Amino acid sequence: MRRNRKQKKQRKVIIISVIGLLCIMTAGYASFQTNLNITAKGNIKENPITIQELRDTYCNTISGDGLYKDTYETNKCIYKGANPNNYITFNNETWRIISIESDNIIKIIKNERISNMVWDTTNSNNWRRPASINIYLNSDYYNSLNEDAKSKIISHDFSVGAVEWNNTNLANQINAENNTKWNGNVGLITEGEYLKVNTNSTQCGNYKLMYDNRDLCPSTNYINQIAGDSMWTITARDQSPTYTFWISKRLSSTGNPVKDYEFGIFPVVHLSQNIKLTGKGTEETPYIIR
């Protein structure tokens, strides 16, 4: 009898001890798991992507805002829409990616104007002459950039050919722009690029359509959204040696004498294909160059 009582007591002690040990282990595991999760989340690092990977992942948009295959120039991708995810931090500032070029160089435009200037004080629309804005952008402005930013810029061809006002054929207009090139560090957006980034090709797909629907077309074009009251382009009007195209949020695009108006300057540069990016390209989480 005494032995039975002793055995029961021992069993109770063992059971209580096992239960206690299990409770301690469970609490310890929960604490370990929590710490593991917190540590893991804190140590998560986003893998940078190459420009080729950016192209492969996103250059497949067929409607709405996004990165589209360019239907006018081979092996090129272009961001289109009212507010695509093309935000990028450059020179500690917000810029926008215009396009991925055929050689995987990305072309970007500053999201805010740096100043207002006349296009050329001598009243010539020849960018290569060089125009007053050309001189300013590739001397004073370029020299004001931080060293890291300058190391990412590559000297590249800009299309500066003059185009017909009220053009009804965007392909012909782009060919005319591409017929004349200028190589440098800093330029401006072309009129053709401005027209291409509009997702409403039915009503805004060439200069004449855009001009006829100029109250409508800015709503589907992010360049209009950042232009505000004015933005110069690099594109001259043919048969008008003193006129160059400009853009505004309200009036879309037109041409004006190059020495009579001080319009907004939004620098455009090309970045090396060797850079890598993190981020999502949104305004809140822009691409960061690594």
Side-chain angles (χ1 to χ4, degrees):
M1 180 77 75
R2 223 180 258 174
R3 184 181 298 169
N4 288 339
R5 283 200 300 268
K6 187 175 182 181
Q7 288 176 344
K8 288 180 180 179
K9 187 175 182 181
Q10 288 174 341
R11 282 198 296 270
K12 287 181 180 179
V13 170
I14 292 172
I15 291 170
I16 292 170
S17 298
V18 170
I19 293 172
L21 181 60
L22 288 173
C23 290
I24 292 171
M25 290 176 64
T26 301
Y29 177 77
S31 176
F32 170 77
Q33 186 66 27
T34 300
N35 289 335
L36 179 63
N37 288 339
I38 292 173
T39 302
K41 289 177 182 177
N43 288 335
I44 287 174
K45 292 184 178 179
E46 187 178 358
N47 291 325
I49 62 172
T50 64
I51 303 305
Q52 182 64 51
E53 289 169 331
L54 179 68
R55 175 197 294 273
D56 293 343
T57 303
Y58 296 108
C59 189
N60 51 21
T61 307
I62 57 175
S63 65
D65 296 356
L67 184 60
Y68 286 71
K69 290 180 180 177
D70 194 330
T71 56
Y72 296 95
E73 297 181 78
T74 305
N75 200 31
K76 184 173 179 178
C77 300
I78 190 160
Y79 280 97
K80 301 173 108 180
N83 192 31
N85 293 335
N86 62 343
Y87 291 85
I88 183 170
T89 298
F90 177 72
N91 196 48
N92 299 319
E93 302 162 332
T94 300
W95 291 57
R96 308 291 287 272
I97 302 174
I98 299 172
S99 58
I100 302 175
E101 303 295 295
S102 59
D103 50 7
N104 277 349
I105 287 168
I106 61 172
K107 190 173 187 178
I108 65 174
I109 183 170
K110 196 172 185 303
N111 199 54
E112 295 180 351
R113 74 187 61 218
I114 57 171
S115 64
N116 289 344
M117 287 181 60
V118 298
W119 205 88
D120 183 69
T121 56
T122 66
N123 209 28
S124 167
N125 66 6
N126 184 349
W127 179 264
R128 299 187 302 171
R129 193 170 179 260
S132 301
I133 293 177
N134 184 346
I135 295 171
Y136 170 72
L137 288 177
N138 288 280
S139 55
D140 292 350
Y141 175 72
Y142 177 78
N143 293 331
S144 74
L145 300 174
N146 64 53
E147 291 304 314
D148 181 66
K150 284 192 280 192
S151 72
K152 302 293 192 300
I153 294 175
I154 62 169
S155 183
H156 198 273
D157 282 347
F158 287 78
S159 298
V160 297
V163 302
E164 176 189 351
W165 185 83
N166 227 20
N167 197 306
T168 60
N169 189 311
L170 182 54
N172 288 345
Q173 175 174 328
I174 292 168
N175 287 336
E177 291 173 348
N178 289 339
N179 278 340
T180 305
K181 301 286 188 179
W182 166 84
N183 190 281
N185 290 320
V186 192
L188 301 173
I189 194 170
T190 70
E191 176 70 11
E193 285 170 327
Y194 159 66
L195 292 171
K196 282 197 290 186
V197 305
N198 204 309
T199 50
N200 184 357
S201 58
T202 302
Q203 295 171 288
C204 311
N206 59 56
Y207 185 88
K208 186 177 188 314
L209 284 172
M210 179 278 307
Y211 192 76
D212 291 344
N213 296 297
R214 56 190 178 275
D215 292 329
L216 169 69
C217 292
S219 64
T220 46
N221 187 324
Y222 76 91
I223 295 297
N224 282 108
Q225 308 309 311
I226 68 175
D229 59 353
S230 66
M231 173 192 287
W232 280 120
T233 76
I234 205 169
T235 307
R237 280 176 55 176
D238 68 357
Q239 300 179 345
S240 301
T242 63
Y243 275 66
T244 302
F245 290 94
W246 67 285
I247 303 161
S248 78
K249 184 174 183 178
R250 185 175 65 87
L251 293 174
S252 209
S253 175
T254 186
N256 273 93
V258 295
K259 77 175 183 64
D260 293 343
Y261 294 88
E262 292 189 350
F263 288 154
I265 306 304
F266 293 75
V268 171
V269 300
H270 296 85
L271 302 184
S272 167
Q273 67 266 53
N274 297 322
I275 64 172
K276 294 184 178 181
L277 304 175
T278 58
K280 298 178 180 178
T282 64
E283 187 172 7
E284 298 76 16
T285 313
Y287 289 120
I288 305 294
I289 300 171
R290 300 302 184 189

